[in-house]
Each structure stands twice: as structure tokens, then as C-alpha cells.
Amino acid sequence: MMDGTDESNILNSPLANNGGTMEISSPNPLAPTTTTTNGSGTATSPDSSSSAPATPAALGENALHVEISDALSEKEKVKFTVHTRTTLPGFAKKDNNVVRQHEEFVWLHDRIEENEDYAGYIIPPCPPRPDFDASREKLQRLGEGEGNMTKEEFKKMKSELEAEYLATFKKTVAMHEVFLRRLASHPVFRIDNHLKVFLEYDQDLCAKPRKKMAIFGGFVKSLGKTTDEILLSATVRDVNDFFENELQFLTEYHGHLREAASRTEKMTQRHKDVGDSHQKISNALTQLSTTEKGNVETFVAKAAEIFERIKNLETRVASDQDLKLGDTLRYYQRDSDAAKALLIRRLRCLAAYETANRNLEKARSKNKDVHAAETAQAEACEKFESMSACGKEELIGFRNRRVAAFKKSLVELAELEIKHAKNQYDYLRQSLLALKEIA
């Protein structure tokens, strides 16, 4: 998934010694990207230099284009450079760059989610927090075990771990960019004041990393949402078949996505395990070749080279499966949660509407505060009907969006699987011919 990585800087990366930086430019969201290096430990996309960016004049009327043009990984954080081009009124600059951290993305998501005016919309899921702990641990172990391996083995391990880190880094950047692009393409969210502040304000938004108590509070909040969902589902009867069926479908669908994502992770891990086995065979054959002479040495050395190449082919298969299938499943697992949250908010609104109806009946029976009760009932009715109309449109759009996304990902995965199978077949056939010539 990552080619052409710079090996010279990996052990000096932040993952190895908690210092220094690593940078990546112009990621392509949810798609494989080939990187090249500029000789200084910076990975850049060839697309970023091959074509000049469009100017605001080239954009359509009331257009808003957002991308993460650069990202920098430091000791305990990732800094994203958010590039905005727009022709929307109200923006001070039509072309602007700001630097944001993950916590500021969480801040933006929370501000939008807390806005009552957006209760009838599917809020794009917050991007996952950058997590490089696994790569950091592997690099640390590699540094500690440098004296126990040959120079060639150490060089290979460095290259593989750097590629793994860059792949994880690119996914992280891509998910943050997808979040912003979802907001920027939405007819309502794109004109939100908080999004405008996020894209224009060139200072820190004072969104600090979550501490342990905040994380615990988030867990309690999540537990409360689950309890609220169960309670509302049991006590509020939805008279609209469309929304009732959607809630039932999304509940089952989310479970299937979770199971599919787990199985996909196991499948890709098995491919990596097969690749690791081939690498161990290659290492053993390489050591054996040093004790042999003549044709046997050449034969064993060639066999070691073949097994190492097969290992690389298996690793690419695993990477593409994780990228095209695993990432899509995980993203729509979070997105289906967001769609289900919309339905729960609507049930809560329905419960408030029914309460307003009961209060109006009580007020009329007592002939007391009737006007206030009528006003409250009318407002609850208007809010519920508005949310229902908006929610139905959002859920239909979500259905079309996810079908298109899965179709695209599965077609691309099938094409890649066929390509990998042909490459493996051709390489094994050529390798057998080469071994026969040596023998």
C-alpha cells in the first residue's frame, strides 16, 4: 500500500524515540496512495505536484472545497493543515490554510451534534483518534534488538515498519478529511458558524486532549444513550412504518457490520501470518545458503529470494483487503450509528410531542393554562413533523450513499484480488523455471 518509503529516518521517527516529526502530504481519502520521498523523511503524493490546485475563480458559485493538504506527526499529536477554497459569502479569505489537531475535530463534531437545529440530520461520525502505539512499540523493540540481527535483516525490518506506520498515518489523515468533506458537501452543515470558525480562525480553538475523567464521562454518556435508546424503543410506539423499519434495519445492520469487520480483520491477519511464515522460511534458507557451495548455494539463495517475494505479495493482499473492505466496514459501522442516533432523537421528539398532547388534554379538562398548552403542543408538533421530513430525506440519502460506497469498494477489491492472483501465478511460474535452470 505504501511504496518508496525512506528507510534512513525510521528509527529517528517519533514512534521510535518519542521525538522528531514525520510528515505526509495530500492524502487520497479511503483510497490507496503511492508515496515518494524527498530525501528528508517526508512522504509526498505525486498528485500534489503534478497538477496545480484550482483557484477560487475556477470553483462554482457558493462552492466550498476542503482538504487536508499536509499532516505532521509529532511526539504525542498530529497536526493537520486544512486547506479551504470557497466562493461562499461570509468567508474573509477565499483561499486559506489553518493547522488543526484531532481534539479540534472532536470539538467541531460535538458543536454540531449538540445543535438542536440539526436534530433531524445524520451527523457525520467523528474521525477516530490517531493511534500509533502498536507501531511505536514495534519500532522500540526493533531498536533494542538491532544487535541480534544482520544488517540486511535490520534494513528489511526498518522498511516494513516504516511502510506500516505511513499506511496507518495516511488512513488517519484520510478519515479526518472525509469528516470535513462530509460537512462541506452538506447543504446545511456547510454554512454552520462553527465550521466557518474551524476553517478560518488561525489560532488554537482551545480544544485540549481528553483526560481520564473526560474519557470516563464519555463512557457514562455513551451508556446513557444506550439506556435511553432501549427505554424509548420500549415505551414509544412509532406510528410511521418507514422510521420503525429503518430503526429495526439499522440495529441489525450495525451488528452485521461489526461482525463483518471482525471477520475481515481476522482474514487480513491470516494473510499477514502466511507472509510472516514465508519470511521465516526465507531467513532459514538464507542462513543455509551460507553453509553450502556451488549450485546448491545458488539454488538455496534463489529459493530464499522467492519466499521473501511471496511474503511481500501476501502483505500487499492483506493491505488492500484492509483498505478496500475493512476500512469501508468500519466507517459505515460508525455512520450507521450516526443514522441510528437520528432515529433515537426523533423518538425522543415524538415522546415530547405525546407529552404535549397529554398536557393539553389536562389543561382543557381543568380549563387552566389552555393557551400555553396549545402553544407548546403546536411547537412540539411542528418540530416533530419537521424532523420527520428532514430525517426521511437524510436516511434515503444515507442508503444511496452506502450502497454506492460498498459497490465501489467491492468492485475495486475484486479487481485488486484478480490482479494479485495473476501476479502471484506469474511469479511462481517464473520462479519454478528459474529453479529448474539452476538445478
Side-chain angles (χ1 to χ4, degrees), residues 163-416:
E164 179 182 325
Y165 164 69
L166 284 175
T168 304
F169 191 26
K170 279 212 151 201
K171 284 185 183 182
T172 298
V173 175
M175 294 310 299
H176 284 73
E177 185 174 80
V178 165
F179 171 68
L180 291 180
R181 288 190 171 182
R182 282 277 302 275
L183 295 176
S185 62
H186 195 278
V188 176
F189 298 148
R190 70 202 307 265
I191 57 176
D192 179 79
N193 285 331
H194 291 102
L195 176 61
K196 183 174 178 292
V197 170
F198 180 93
L199 297 177
E200 277 202 314
Y201 186 59
D202 60 0
Q203 301 297 322
D204 189 357
L205 294 175
C206 298
K208 297 182 179 179
R210 300 174 71 191
K211 297 182 179 179
K212 289 184 178 180
M213 285 303 296
I215 294 174
F216 177 73
F219 170 74
V220 173
K221 183 179 179 181
S222 175
L223 188 63
K225 286 183 177 179
T226 303
T227 305
D228 193 26
E229 176 185 340
I230 296 172
L231 182 62
L232 286 170
S233 299
T235 58
V236 181
R237 173 67 178 174
D238 199 330
V239 296
N240 190 311
D241 290 341
F242 173 82
F243 290 101
E244 187 176 7
N245 292 336
E246 281 292 312
L247 181 58
Q248 182 180 355
F249 167 77
L250 286 172
T251 301
E252 295 177 0
Y253 180 68
H254 184 268
H256 291 318
L257 285 175
R258 184 173 60 250
E259 178 66 19
S262 175
R263 289 176 180 269
T264 300
E265 187 175 350
K266 291 178 181 178
M267 177 182 66
T268 56
Q269 186 58 49
R270 294 293 83 80
H271 277 289
K272 292 177 182 178
D273 291 343
V274 170
D276 290 341
S277 297
H278 284 131
Q279 184 64 60
K280 290 177 182 178
I281 296 173
S282 175
N283 293 341
L285 290 173
T286 300
Q287 291 180 351
L288 179 62
S289 68
T290 60
T291 63
E292 300 289 349
K293 294 183 180 180
N295 286 345
V296 176
E297 177 187 0
T298 305
F299 183 90
V300 174
K302 181 64 178 177
E305 179 186 331
I306 291 171
F307 275 102
E308 182 176 349
R309 177 69 186 278
I310 293 173
K311 180 257 183 183
N312 293 334
L313 292 174
E314 285 291 342
T315 301
R316 289 175 188 170
V317 170
S319 296
D320 285 336
Q321 287 175 342
D322 187 52
L323 184 72
K324 290 298 179 185
L325 184 57
D327 280 0
T328 303
L329 289 168
R330 285 186 288 268
Y331 180 78
Y332 278 95
Q333 189 178 337
R334 296 194 300 273
D335 211 13
S336 63
D337 249 347
K340 199 163 70 167
L342 161 61
L343 292 170
I344 298 303
R345 289 194 297 270
R346 181 182 170 277
L347 279 180
R348 195 179 296 116
C349 186
L350 175 58
Y353 178 36
E354 291 177 347
T355 300
N357 284 334
R358 288 193 295 269
N359 290 339
L360 178 57
E361 290 177 3
K362 290 179 182 179
R364 285 174 175 171
S365 65
K366 295 179 180 180
N367 197 23
K368 183 179 179 181
D369 298 327
V370 176
H371 179 70
E374 287 177 344
T375 302
Q377 191 267 354
E379 290 176 353
C381 177
E382 182 182 359
K383 183 177 180 180
F384 175 69
E385 290 179 351
S386 174
M387 182 182 290
S388 297
C390 181
K392 185 173 184 178
E393 186 177 341
E394 285 280 297
L395 290 167
I396 292 173
F398 170 64
R399 181 191 304 163
N400 295 335
R401 184 172 69 247
R402 72 171 183 268
V403 168
F406 272 103
K407 180 179 179 181
K408 180 176 182 292
S409 293
L410 291 174
V411 167
E412 290 177 352
L413 176 62
E415 291 173 347
L416 287 170

Side-chain angles (χ1 to χ4, degrees), residues 8 75 95 113 191 284 392 394 397 419-420:
S8 63
K75 182 178 179 181
D95 196 310
E113 188 176 47
I191 57 176
K392 185 173 184 178
E394 285 280 297
K419 176 184 175 182
H420 288 313

